[in-house]
Amino acid sequence: MPVDIWSQQHSLIGPMSVATDTSSLSLKSLSVASALSETDSEQKNRTQNMNKLCRQVSIESPGPGVKNCVFNFFVPIEDTPAHGARIKIVCAGACYRRRDRANSITSVSSVSSELSDYCPSVTSMSSPAHQGIREGSFFPGFEVAGVIESLGSEITEANNRGLRIGQRVIVYPFDETPAGYAELLVVPDLKHIVPIPDNLPMEEAAMLPTGALLAMNAVFKAQSVVTEILNQRAATDPNKKCKILIVGTGGLALWAVRIASYHFASTGAHNVDITVASLRDEGFRLATEIKNVSVVQWNECLYEPQLIERTKDVCGGAVDVVIDFGTTSRSLHRSMHCLSKGGVVLISEEVAEKLLPKFSRLSNEYQQEIIPISNGTAEQLEELVQLVANKKIEPPPYSVFPCEQAAEVIQKLCNSEIPGRAILRFPELE
């Protein structure tokens, strides 16, 4: 529980202990401490608006020679903003945020290619705990569901956007989203808060704000490309189908194929074939359970020409659109070889920074376009909430764990021992 800090020493604002085993903690919250240095004046100004401390835990990617990846902190909690709210966190999806990109928010699941791409070899540039620790840090807190604990002093019936204390909500990832969550998450503006209906479980709601939303935005962009392609073919070859390849079987890809299957069927786009390129064995099984979707396994033991040929055989030729949730040059290179001339590849903005400069020449040569996809909008998140709540879109498989087991969950995620998504659940606050 939060504690009064006015009588505490300022040293409590910093980390209290490091490399603490979570089995010895009684946690009410889980988060990432920013580890940013502050001048005395900056710290004084910041603490003037804060009156509580809470325990936070930083979960960082395990690296060579690093036994523990869980670090315990006490940090202050801000008062409820005048025009915002404070949220009691109930559930959170295990997701990561690259430390070298302040606003980069991406979800990761136990069967995701993203995890294997980030964890093995990429060196972090700014780990507060270990210099040289591997990238792929897991920052629980960007996918959260909870209840409104308090509203700001300036909130009235006229401007409360229909929100009330005690309401079940999720939080849209805004630019200044804290690097994780405490037992109370401060949201500066009510526009970032999306209510969830009573029939939507907190565990499922917590998966929506980042991974599912990014997947939805990718599908919406793919639809605009598909519509343009089908319109161009209407006069010459109206019966030719538009082929979409979704790469990956992590949380992003599993959401994308579910959303795409529903979305294209509901919009009457029946001339669309969807294929999933599975990157892991367990992902192959999960993908084959989805109706009206073809699956091809990208076994990394095979040579590139074999994988490309296998993919084209399953797809019935080169595809028109690729939604690539892989994070490596190899994945994108393979996707482009499966793509037709004039085709489009959609990749997340996060990996676009790294990959676009490497593939600009190749895309020009193949007359293909690589389009970065952003996380999506709050309006899209509201629509997604209703679709999942009304069972129009089924969420990927998920497993729920107590927050005290965070360290074990991270290890299992790294070893692909958890099918689908991992959700951390927090004890009810008194």
Side-chain angles (χ1 to χ4, degrees):
M1 292 293 293
V3 297
D4 185 11
I5 67 170
W6 291 115
S7 60
Q8 307 294 329
Q9 297 297 319
H10 288 293
S11 60
L12 287 179
I13 296 173
M16 295 297 291
S17 59
V18 179
T20 302
D21 187 345
T22 52
S23 63
S24 65
L25 296 177
S26 175
L27 297 181
K28 289 291 187 179
S29 60
L30 191 62
S31 182
V32 176
S34 62
L36 297 175
S37 61
E38 294 182 318
T39 65
D40 290 341
S41 60
E42 288 173 336
Q43 190 178 82
K44 181 178 179 181
N45 290 335
R46 191 164 69 92
T47 55
Q48 284 177 347
N49 296 322
M50 299 181 182
N51 60 5
K52 295 180 180 179
L53 283 178
C54 73
R55 189 185 303 276
Q56 294 185 330
V57 177
S58 171
I59 301 180
E60 302 182 7
S61 54
V66 180
K67 182 178 180 180
N68 296 305
C69 61
V70 178
F71 305 92
N72 182 29
F73 294 85
F74 280 100
V75 295
I77 296 178
E78 294 184 57
D79 288 331
T80 305
H83 297 278
R86 200 160 56 185
I87 312 299
K88 288 182 182 179
I89 302 305
V90 177
C91 290
C95 58
Y96 72 84
R97 171 169 132 172
R98 292 176 56 185
R99 298 191 202 97
D100 57 336
R101 290 197 63 209
N103 294 328
S104 172
I105 301 172
T106 306
S107 67
V108 175
S109 76
S110 61
V111 292
S112 66
S113 61
E114 295 91 336
L115 178 58
S116 62
D117 290 333
Y118 276 107
C119 283
S121 59
V122 183
T123 301
S124 169
M125 300 302 294
S126 58
S127 170
H130 297 283
Q131 291 298 324
I133 198 169
R134 290 178 297 176
E135 190 49 87
S137 300
F138 287 77
F139 290 89
F142 297 108
E143 293 182 318
V144 296
V147 297
I148 297 177
E149 182 262 352
S150 62
L151 293 170
S153 59
E154 298 296 323
I155 301 301
T156 65
E157 288 293 330
N159 64 5
N160 65 3
R161 302 174 70 94
L163 299 172
R164 66 184 187 281
I165 293 175
Q167 190 167 8
R168 304 165 79 249
V169 297
I170 55 178
V171 179
Y172 175 76
F174 49 96
D175 288 342
E176 300 302 323
T177 303
Y181 41 66
E183 62 186 20
L184 297 172
L185 174 65
V186 171
V187 181
D189 195 311
L190 297 187
K191 68 181 180 181
H192 304 308
I193 298 176
V194 177
I196 58 175
D198 292 339
N199 64 326
L200 180 60
M202 285 280 194
E203 295 85 356
E204 295 180 6
M207 294 190 285
L208 304 182
T210 57
L213 182 58
L214 174 61
M216 185 179 195
N217 198 32
V219 171
F220 281 14
K221 180 58 182 178
Q223 183 197 19
S224 66
V225 176
V226 168
T227 300
E228 183 178 350
I229 292 173
L230 293 177
N231 288 339
Q232 292 173 351
R233 293 174 179 171
T236 58
D237 197 355
N239 295 322
K240 185 176 181 179
K241 291 194 173 184
C242 187
K243 304 181 182 68
I244 299 176
L245 177 66
I246 299 175
V247 178
T249 38
L252 289 170
L254 290 174
W255 272 114
V257 69
R258 283 164 166 78
I259 294 170
S261 297
Y262 166 79
H263 186 69
F264 286 112
S266 64
T267 56
H270 301 295
N271 273 9
V272 176
D273 281 342
I274 300 174
T275 302
V276 177
S278 170
L279 299 168
R280 292 174 179 266
D281 292 340
E282 64 270 36
F284 182 86
R285 177 185 59 80
L286 292 173
T288 54
E289 296 174 355
I290 304 172
K291 295 180 180 180
N292 302 320
V293 172
S294 302
V295 184
V296 57
Q297 188 165 20
W298 279 6
N299 190 328
E300 298 300 329
C301 296
L302 299 179
Y303 292 109
E304 285 297 304
Q306 293 175 296
L307 290 173
I308 294 168
E309 181 181 3
R310 172 187 289 183
T311 304
K312 288 183 176 180
D313 286 344
V314 172
C315 295
V319 300
D320 301 292
V321 180
V322 177
I323 302 176
D324 192 343
F325 291 120
T327 59
T328 62
S329 297
R330 185 179 185 185
S331 171
L332 181 55
H333 188 269
R334 189 182 303 156
S335 295
M336 294 177 71
H337 277 84
C338 296
L339 193 64
S340 62
K341 181 180 178 181
V344 174
V345 182
L346 307 177
I347 61 176
S348 70
E349 282 186 343
E350 181 177 356
V351 299
E353 286 188 2
K354 176 179 66 174
L355 297 181
L356 278 179
K358 300 179 182 180
F359 286 88
S360 58
R361 183 190 61 80
L362 188 63
S363 64
N364 290 332
E365 179 182 340
Y366 291 174
Q367 298 181 37
Q368 297 169 346
E369 187 177 5
I370 304 174
I371 301 177
I373 300 299
S374 63
N375 191 51
T377 66
E379 291 73 22
Q380 287 176 331
L381 183 57
E382 292 174 359
E383 180 181 354
L384 183 59
V385 165
Q386 295 304 317
L387 290 172
V388 176
N390 294 328
K391 308 299 182 183
K392 299 294 182 64
I393 297 175
E394 291 292 329
Y398 62 90
S399 301
V400 182
F401 302 88
C403 65
E404 290 85 355
Q405 296 180 13
E408 294 90 335
V409 170
I410 297 305
Q411 189 59 52
K412 288 181 178 179
L413 287 174
C414 288
N415 295 332
S416 296
E417 297 175 2
I418 301 175
R421 294 300 314 276
I423 307 297
L424 300 175
R425 188 172 184 92
F426 297 82
E428 296 293 335
L429 299 180
E430 298 177 0

